Amino acid sequence: MDLSIKRLLDRYKIKIEYTKEVEFTAQLFKTPKGMVIIMRSGMPDEMENQVILHEIGHIKNDGCQSYQDWRSRIVMEKDANEYMLDKVVGDYIDSCDPNELNSIDFLEHHNLSQSLDHAVRNLIRENCPNSDDVKS
């Protein structure tokens, strides 16, 4: 787990518990002792980082509220994904030549859905001034 993610977990007072006993990748729970992310153990480090950032995005964006209906779930999941992407895309931009930025390559490398292409392209444009022609 990245040091920056450990700092975020400390800032938001989030604990992580690992188990092989769950079907989901990770889920955030509000407990009497604080916020806990229950994670399926055995994920590769990069995927684990993305999943933790996604769950932190729920706290940052909606305070770990439960879904009221399918529309609120879509919005909350979108916001959590965008928070995660903002962190991961920033690292990607820093590691690449601006002429080589490619949203689809990024998504494939990080094993993320291509449905996130639009969000990734926008983040690249916002954070890299010379990227008007982001490849996809």
Side-chain angles (χ1 to χ4, degrees):
M1 180 183 318
D2 291 349
L3 180 59
S4 61
I5 293 174
K6 287 180 183 179
R7 288 182 179 147
L8 286 169
L9 291 169
D10 287 343
R11 180 186 313 157
Y12 291 106
K13 297 176 177 50
I14 303 168
K15 303 290 183 215
I16 297 182
E17 293 183 16
Y18 296 90
T19 181
K20 291 185 183 270
E21 304 299 318
V22 295
E23 295 292 321
F24 52 82
T25 306
Q27 194 167 346
L28 180 65
F29 295 92
K30 195 175 203 173
T31 73
K33 292 185 177 183
M35 303 297 240
V36 177
I37 297 173
I38 305 295
M39 292 191 66
R40 184 177 32 175
S41 55
M43 283 186 271
D45 288 344
E46 185 175 28
M47 183 178 182
E48 183 175 302
N49 289 339
Q50 292 168 7
V51 169
I52 292 169
L53 286 169
H54 173 92
E55 296 303 326
I56 291 171
H58 281 298
I59 292 172
K60 188 139 174 58
N61 292 317
D62 54 56
C64 193
Q65 297 176 25
S66 18
Y67 303 130
Q68 302 300 318
D69 55 36
W70 64 272
R71 288 181 187 155
S72 63
R73 179 182 179 144
I74 289 170
V75 171
M76 290 175 170
E77 291 299 326
K78 176 185 152 298
D79 291 346
N81 279 334
E82 287 177 357
Y83 178 82
M84 177 271 297
L85 285 172
D86 185 48
K87 302 293 185 195
V88 179
V89 168
D91 292 341
Y92 170 70
I93 290 169
D94 292 342
S95 69
C96 284
D97 177 333
N99 296 321
E100 298 299 318
L101 296 172
N102 183 308
S103 58
I104 297 298
D105 285 349
F106 167 84
L107 292 167
E108 287 175 353
H109 174 77
H110 288 77
N111 201 25
L112 295 167
S113 169
Q114 290 190 11
S115 67
L116 299 170
D117 181 52
H118 182 71
V120 171
R121 292 169 64 86
N122 286 340
L123 285 167
I124 291 172
R125 285 187 188 108
E126 289 171 13
N127 293 293
C128 191
N130 299 328
S131 62
D132 290 333
D133 298 321
V134 180
K135 297 177 183 90
S136 63

